[in-house]
Amino acid sequence: MKKVSILIPCYNEEASLPAMYVALKELMDTHPDYAWEVVMVNDGSHDRTIDVIKQLRRADERICYIDLSRNFGKENAMLAGFDYVTGDCMVIMDADLQHPPHLIPDMLKIWEDGYEDVYAKRITRGKESWARKKFTLLYYKLLQKTTRVEILENVGDFRLLDRKCIDALKQLRETQRYTKGMYCWVGFKKHEILFEQGDRVAGESSFNFLRLMNLAIDGVTSFTTAPLRLSTILGLIMSLVAFLYMIYVLVTTLIWDDPVQGYPTLMTVILFLGGVQLLSLGIIGEYLGRIFHETKGRPVYFIEEKEGV
């Protein structure tokens, strides 16, 4: 009998977990041809999430949990799950039921046909603001044009991974993680499945605009050096323009005896070039910061308590 693991990273999901368990129990009970395990990773929640998970564990031994020592972030919490799931395949999903459990049997059928990464692509994005949807689509287009690895648009963490993919992802131990890009980087046979993303059943999302922006920066700096190349090209263009402008000023002064423009022109040029230099330093700083964190060689996470894994 093949074993299916379901990985659920949890952060302040006390209100969502009971409804999630009801949906998963129905799924597991109606598909006894598979052995099931549900690995919930508590990522340093501040509410009663871990207490609810322990109650579910006492009621159903298919529920396993990993309680991290603090909040390490969703990407690192998922790595903890990768390290401990024991299934022949693994389904990653959120705890808020935005990822519908009833889609899992369809994923399993595609997996049985020989595909190793069955990813769910959103048809709609649920109740998201217009600005967030537009920024998200713009971000994916930017990432597609600047990376050598194809980053799938409108595809998140909701997917089924074969044991081959799980073992490959376990070997990627960087601390500054962008797992959505890693899924594509490791390769393997992929298949798309479409779904309508639901709304949260309870609670509020912990991903505000600032955290999403940080995730976007991590995605760009993890899989492309295009920003560094852009700053180089921008520097060359500015140098060329400055040289041509210098020739222009020299010629107009010596031949036509035109007076050199004064304070406004000088301040405009200084401020513009200063802005370009600060932008370039900021881009370099982002990459240096990643090098700084990676060279420490610290563990990606620490576990406070675990059971069932």
Side-chain angles (χ1 to χ4, degrees):
M1 181 183 292
K2 294 182 178 179
K3 186 174 185 178
V4 180
S5 299
I6 299 178
L7 171 61
I8 305 176
C10 305
Y11 179 70
N12 293 342
E13 297 290 356
E14 170 190 355
S16 303
L17 287 176
M20 166 60 78
Y21 172 70
V22 170
L24 290 179
K25 185 177 186 301
E26 181 182 358
L27 169 71
M28 294 186 291
D29 291 345
T30 53
H31 292 82
D33 47 330
Y34 291 103
W36 297 88
E37 78 170 354
V38 179
V39 178
M40 297 184 177
V41 182
N42 179 42
D43 186 26
S45 299
H46 301 300
D47 61 2
R48 295 183 58 256
T49 295
I50 187 60
D51 296 327
V52 174
I53 293 175
K54 289 180 178 180
Q55 291 174 5
L56 296 176
R57 165 71 182 174
R58 287 193 290 268
D60 191 336
E61 289 191 352
R62 294 173 295 187
I63 305 296
C64 314
Y65 68 85
I66 301 169
D67 185 21
L68 300 184
S69 61
R70 65 170 178 83
N71 177 243
F72 287 91
K74 182 182 179 181
E75 304 286 315
N76 295 342
M78 286 195 297
L79 179 60
F82 297 166
D83 288 340
Y84 284 93
V85 294
T86 59
D88 299 293
C89 68
M90 169 184 67
V91 178
I92 309 169
M93 58 191 310
D94 291 342
D96 54 16
L97 285 178
Q98 286 188 304
H99 300 158
H102 64 76
L103 201 64
I104 294 177
D106 296 333
M107 290 179 162
L108 289 171
K109 289 178 183 177
I110 297 172
W111 173 61
E112 294 282 10
D113 289 337
Y115 290 94
E116 296 153 333
D117 182 353
V118 185
Y119 60 87
K121 183 174 182 178
R122 305 178 188 93
I123 302 174
T124 59
R125 299 186 61 90
K127 291 182 179 179
E128 287 187 355
S129 66
W130 178 88
R132 178 167 170 174
K133 290 179 182 178
K134 291 298 181 183
F135 275 120
T136 301
L137 293 175
L138 180 63
Y139 163 70
Y140 278 119
K141 289 180 180 178
L142 174 65
L143 209 55
Q144 287 282 19
K145 292 182 180 298
T146 56
T147 61
R148 297 180 181 179
V149 179
E150 181 184 9
I151 307 297
L152 299 170
E153 186 176 328
N154 268 331
V155 176
D157 295 311
F158 186 31
R159 62 181 64 217
L160 180 148
L161 297 173
D162 183 79
R163 171 50 61 180
K164 291 180 182 178
C165 299
I166 300 169
D167 291 339
L169 289 166
K170 285 167 61 176
Q171 297 180 53
L172 307 181
R173 308 303 296 187
E174 57 248 50
T175 58
Q176 307 296 299
R177 305 180 64 79
Y178 184 68
T179 314
K180 295 176 183 63
M182 292 178 181
Y183 298 136
C184 301
W185 188 86
V186 298
F188 298 105
K189 294 174 63 177
K190 301 184 185 301
H191 194 283
E192 174 185 293
I193 187 170
L194 301 177
F195 81 106
E196 296 274 0
Q197 178 167 299
D199 300 320
R200 291 183 63 91
V201 294
E204 296 181 359
S205 173
S206 60
F207 276 89
N208 54 30
F209 185 80
L210 182 59
R211 292 189 67 177
L212 289 172
M213 181 63 71
N214 289 335
L215 183 63
I217 293 173
D218 285 341
V220 172
T221 54
S222 293
F223 285 90
T224 177
T225 57
L228 291 173
R229 191 164 299 164
L230 176 64
S231 64
T232 301
I233 294 171
L234 196 60
L236 289 173
I237 292 173
M238 291 300 102
S239 298
L240 178 61
V241 171
F243 178 76
L244 293 176
Y245 183 69
M246 181 186 69
I247 298 295
Y248 168 77
V249 171
L250 185 63
V251 169
T252 55
T253 303
L254 293 178
I255 298 178
W256 291 287
D257 198 28
D258 285 349
V260 178
Q261 295 296 321
Y263 181 79
T265 303
L266 184 63
M267 286 303 299
T268 301
V269 171
I270 290 174
L271 291 174
F272 178 72
L273 292 179
V276 172
Q277 289 174 336
L278 289 175
L279 174 63
S280 300
L281 286 173
I283 293 173
I284 295 170
E286 286 290 336
Y287 284 92
L288 283 176
R290 298 185 69 85
I291 295 171
F292 169 71
H293 288 295
E294 295 297 338
T295 53
K296 291 179 180 178
R298 292 177 178 174
V300 180
Y301 62 86
F302 285 109
I303 295 176
E304 172 78 21
E305 179 185 1
K306 64 180 185 289
E307 188 171 347
V309 295

